[in-house]
Amino acid sequence: MKGELLLFSSVIVLLQVVYGCPDKCRCHSSTNFVDCSQQGLAEIPSHLPRQTRTLHLQDNQIHHLPAFAFRSVPWLTALNLSNNSLSDLAPGAFHGLQHLQVLNLTQNSLISLESRLFHSLPQLRELDLSSNNISHLPTSLGETWENLTILAVQQNQLQQLDRALLESMPSVRLLFLKDNLWKCNCHLLGLKLWLEKFIYKGGITDGVICGSPDTWKGKDLLRIPHELYQPCPLAAPDPESSQPQRPGSTHSVVLRPPENHNSGERDLLECELKPKPRPANLRHAIATVIITGVVCGIVCLMMLAAAIYGCTYAAITAQYHGGPLVQTNDPGKVEEKERLDSSPA
């Protein structure tokens, strides 16, 4: 009898673990949806139904995600952790979620992300990191993002975004980048070039608005001409480490430029965008040439007309004044005319 009761109680506990619903959560077994939102939770509930596909934990007070935080729900496909107080995510926080496709971490207090944080999410398609305080995204963050189609990082503290990270997302179609502290210098040229190609292929983005320097503050990164970008200064290798040691020599002589305390500031200024005269547009140049040719032609025609008019006027004037002079210079004709005038009628 005792053995039967023990077996029965074990079965009940097992059923509660598999099909039960944690306190302060609402479980919908027909859709495998568990809603634990707006419950003031400080940690992930235990004993979540194993068959859960969608889990809502938004609007709680969860500060930390430990490693293997969701080991009890390996079939999870959508996870909403928005509007919590998350500031610390353990490197293995999402380990075991091989089927997760949608992850919402918006409106938290995240400052940085561990480079391997999402490596256990090969099926991830939508990632929302907006409205946090993230200042840097590691290049290796998206090593497993071949299936990612939507990435949202707007309203953070980002100043740069490595092109290599974007190139690790070949399937992305929606990219939200606005309302960051984008520093539009030479280091952002790679992002500009990638975005132009992304848009050309049909991708959609809300754009990058420059936060600095003052020259480009408030300007759209995509509207800044390429020719205003200058190459970033390369970091000079250490001469002592690169120069081979000669056998038998105790030390090597290394030529160094004189130290300058303002070298760091100079490199920073060289990296900034330096406005320079923009090259003339070819269409504008052709239009200018055509207009200039037309004006010159009109002026030439006017000069030709004036010359013809002047010559004609001079000829008429000369003919008018030249007739009487020719007549008065012939004495014979004058005498004959006088004789005819004096003869009786």
Side-chain angles (χ1 to χ4, degrees), residues 133-146:
N133 295 310
I134 302 171
S135 59
H136 174 66
L137 293 178
T139 304
S140 60
L141 193 66
E143 285 186 359
T144 58
W145 284 358
E146 290 84 1

PDB file of all heavy atoms in Angstrom, residues 133-146:
ATOM      1  N   ASN A 133      21.418  50.642 -22.958  1.00  0.00           N
ATOM      2  CA  ASN A 133      22.569  51.546 -22.860  1.00  0.00           C
ATOM      3  C   ASN A 133      23.815  50.906 -23.467  1.00  0.00           C
ATOM      4  O   ASN A 133      24.929  51.145 -23.015  1.00  0.00           O
ATOM      5  CB  ASN A 133      22.833  51.913 -21.398  1.00  0.00           C
ATOM      6  CG  ASN A 133      21.698  52.716 -20.792  1.00  0.00           C
ATOM      7  OD1 ASN A 133      21.251  53.710 -21.357  1.00  0.00           O
ATOM      8  ND2 ASN A 133      21.205  52.280 -19.645  1.00  0.00           N
ATOM      9  N   ILE A 134      23.616  50.122 -24.509  1.00  0.00           N
ATOM     10  CA  ILE A 134      24.717  49.395 -25.143  1.00  0.00           C
ATOM     11  C   ILE A 134      25.605  50.368 -25.909  1.00  0.00           C
ATOM     12  O   ILE A 134      25.125  51.140 -26.749  1.00  0.00           O
ATOM     13  CB  ILE A 134      24.175  48.311 -26.074  1.00  0.00           C
ATOM     14  CG1 ILE A 134      23.279  47.343 -25.294  1.00  0.00           C
ATOM     15  CG2 ILE A 134      25.309  47.558 -26.758  1.00  0.00           C
ATOM     16  CD1 ILE A 134      22.531  46.353 -26.168  1.00  0.00           C
ATOM     17  N   SER A 135      26.898  50.322 -25.621  1.00  0.00           N
ATOM     18  CA  SER A 135      27.851  51.219 -26.286  1.00  0.00           C
ATOM     19  C   SER A 135      28.733  50.499 -27.291  1.00  0.00           C
ATOM     20  O   SER A 135      29.431  51.150 -28.063  1.00  0.00           O
ATOM     21  CB  SER A 135      28.742  51.914 -25.239  1.00  0.00           C
ATOM     22  OG  SER A 135      29.451  50.957 -24.467  1.00  0.00           O
ATOM     23  N   HIS A 136      28.696  49.169 -27.289  1.00  0.00           N
ATOM     24  CA  HIS A 136      29.564  48.425 -28.215  1.00  0.00           C
ATOM     25  C   HIS A 136      28.957  47.054 -28.483  1.00  0.00           C
ATOM     26  O   HIS A 136      28.467  46.386 -27.565  1.00  0.00           O
ATOM     27  CB  HIS A 136      30.965  48.266 -27.616  1.00  0.00           C
ATOM     28  CG  HIS A 136      31.877  47.402 -28.434  1.00  0.00           C
ATOM     29  ND1 HIS A 136      32.316  47.767 -29.686  1.00  0.00           N
ATOM     30  CD2 HIS A 136      32.415  46.180 -28.177  1.00  0.00           C
ATOM     31  CE1 HIS A 136      33.094  46.816 -30.164  1.00  0.00           C
ATOM     32  NE2 HIS A 136      33.165  45.844 -29.277  1.00  0.00           N
ATOM     33  N   LEU A 137      29.009  46.635 -29.754  1.00  0.00           N
ATOM     34  CA  LEU A 137      28.590  45.301 -30.148  1.00  0.00           C
ATOM     35  C   LEU A 137      29.811  44.537 -30.652  1.00  0.00           C
ATOM     36  O   LEU A 137      30.408  44.940 -31.653  1.00  0.00           O
ATOM     37  CB  LEU A 137      27.523  45.364 -31.245  1.00  0.00           C
ATOM     38  CG  LEU A 137      26.162  45.942 -30.850  1.00  0.00           C
ATOM     39  CD1 LEU A 137      25.241  45.986 -32.054  1.00  0.00           C
ATOM     40  CD2 LEU A 137      25.524  45.122 -29.729  1.00  0.00           C
ATOM     41  N   PRO A 138      30.203  43.463 -29.986  1.00  0.00           N
ATOM     42  CA  PRO A 138      31.388  42.718 -30.414  1.00  0.00           C
ATOM     43  C   PRO A 138      31.225  42.172 -31.829  1.00  0.00           C
ATOM     44  O   PRO A 138      30.130  41.794 -32.250  1.00  0.00           O
ATOM     45  CB  PRO A 138      31.491  41.579 -29.393  1.00  0.00           C
ATOM     46  CG  PRO A 138      30.690  42.041 -28.212  1.00  0.00           C
ATOM     47  CD  PRO A 138      29.604  42.906 -28.767  1.00  0.00           C
ATOM     48  N   THR A 139      32.333  42.131 -32.574  1.00  0.00           N
ATOM     49  CA  THR A 139      32.297  41.643 -33.944  1.00  0.00           C
ATOM     50  C   THR A 139      31.856  40.189 -34.013  1.00  0.00           C
ATOM     51  O   THR A 139      31.128  39.789 -34.923  1.00  0.00           O
ATOM     52  CB  THR A 139      33.682  41.804 -34.591  1.00  0.00           C
ATOM     53  OG1 THR A 139      34.083  43.180 -34.504  1.00  0.00           O
ATOM     54  CG2 THR A 139      33.660  41.372 -36.042  1.00  0.00           C
ATOM     55  N   SER A 140      32.279  39.380 -33.048  1.00  0.00           N
ATOM     56  CA  SER A 140      31.961  37.951 -33.062  1.00  0.00           C
ATOM     57  C   SER A 140      30.579  37.651 -32.501  1.00  0.00           C
ATOM     58  O   SER A 140      30.209  36.481 -32.377  1.00  0.00           O
ATOM     59  CB  SER A 140      33.010  37.180 -32.257  1.00  0.00           C
ATOM     60  OG  SER A 140      33.043  37.635 -30.905  1.00  0.00           O
ATOM     61  N   LEU A 141      29.810  38.686 -32.197  1.00  0.00           N
ATOM     62  CA  LEU A 141      28.494  38.472 -31.594  1.00  0.00           C
ATOM     63  C   LEU A 141      27.578  37.688 -32.523  1.00  0.00           C
ATOM     64  O   LEU A 141      26.747  36.901 -32.073  1.00  0.00           O
ATOM     65  CB  LEU A 141      27.855  39.819 -31.253  1.00  0.00           C
ATOM     66  CG  LEU A 141      26.622  39.815 -30.353  1.00  0.00           C
ATOM     67  CD1 LEU A 141      26.973  39.345 -28.958  1.00  0.00           C
ATOM     68  CD2 LEU A 141      25.990  41.208 -30.301  1.00  0.00           C
ATOM     69  N   GLY A 142      27.707  37.908 -33.828  1.00  0.00           N
ATOM     70  CA  GLY A 142      26.780  37.297 -34.781  1.00  0.00           C
ATOM     71  C   GLY A 142      27.348  36.147 -35.573  1.00  0.00           C
ATOM     72  O   GLY A 142      26.979  35.966 -36.735  1.00  0.00           O
ATOM     73  N   GLU A 143      28.238  35.372 -34.976  1.00  0.00           N
ATOM     74  CA  GLU A 143      28.838  34.256 -35.707  1.00  0.00           C
ATOM     75  C   GLU A 143      27.806  33.222 -36.146  1.00  0.00           C
ATOM     76  O   GLU A 143      28.023  32.512 -37.119  1.00  0.00           O
ATOM     77  CB  GLU A 143      29.927  33.590 -34.854  1.00  0.00           C
ATOM     78  CG  GLU A 143      31.212  34.405 -34.766  1.00  0.00           C
ATOM     79  CD  GLU A 143      32.316  33.646 -34.041  1.00  0.00           C
ATOM     80  OE1 GLU A 143      32.047  32.513 -33.604  1.00  0.00           O
ATOM     81  OE2 GLU A 143      33.420  34.194 -33.921  1.00  0.00           O
ATOM     82  N   THR A 144      26.709  33.125 -35.432  1.00  0.00           N
ATOM     83  CA  THR A 144      25.682  32.123 -35.781  1.00  0.00           C
ATOM     84  C   THR A 144      24.395  32.781 -36.263  1.00  0.00           C
ATOM     85  O   THR A 144      23.311  32.210 -36.119  1.00  0.00           O
ATOM     86  CB  THR A 144      25.375  31.245 -34.554  1.00  0.00           C
ATOM     87  OG1 THR A 144      24.928  32.078 -33.473  1.00  0.00           O
ATOM     88  CG2 THR A 144      26.598  30.479 -34.104  1.00  0.00           C
ATOM     89  N   TRP A 145      24.501  33.961 -36.854  1.00  0.00           N
ATOM     90  CA  TRP A 145      23.316  34.703 -37.258  1.00  0.00           C
ATOM     91  C   TRP A 145      23.006  34.558 -38.741  1.00  0.00           C
ATOM     92  O   TRP A 145      22.540  35.497 -39.386  1.00  0.00           O
ATOM     93  CB  TRP A 145      23.488  36.185 -36.912  1.00  0.00           C
ATOM     94  CG  TRP A 145      23.312  36.468 -35.455  1.00  0.00           C
ATOM     95  CD1 TRP A 145      22.992  35.578 -34.477  1.00  0.00           C
ATOM     96  CD2 TRP A 145      23.451  37.729 -34.807  1.00  0.00           C
ATOM     97  NE1 TRP A 145      22.926  36.201 -33.252  1.00  0.00           N
ATOM     98  CE2 TRP A 145      23.200  37.541 -33.426  1.00  0.00           C
ATOM     99  CE3 TRP A 145      23.758  39.005 -35.243  1.00  0.00           C
ATOM    100  CZ2 TRP A 145      23.253  38.563 -32.493  1.00  0.00           C
ATOM    101  CZ3 TRP A 145      23.814  40.034 -34.314  1.00  0.00           C
ATOM    102  CH2 TRP A 145      23.562  39.816 -32.960  1.00  0.00           C
ATOM    103  N   GLU A 146      23.239  33.403 -39.299  1.00  0.00           N
ATOM    104  CA  GLU A 146      22.944  33.200 -40.716  1.00  0.00           C
ATOM    105  C   GLU A 146      21.455  33.335 -41.023  1.00  0.00           C
ATOM    106  O   GLU A 146      21.078  33.682 -42.142  1.00  0.00           O
ATOM    107  CB  GLU A 146      23.427  31.815 -41.172  1.00  0.00           C
ATOM    108  CG  GLU A 146      24.936  31.656 -41.234  1.00  0.00           C
ATOM    109  CD  GLU A 146      25.530  31.304 -39.882  1.00  0.00           C
ATOM    110  OE1 GLU A 146      24.729  31.165 -38.927  1.00  0.00           O
ATOM    111  OE2 GLU A 146      26.760  31.158 -39.781  1.00  0.00           O
TER     112      GLU A 146
END
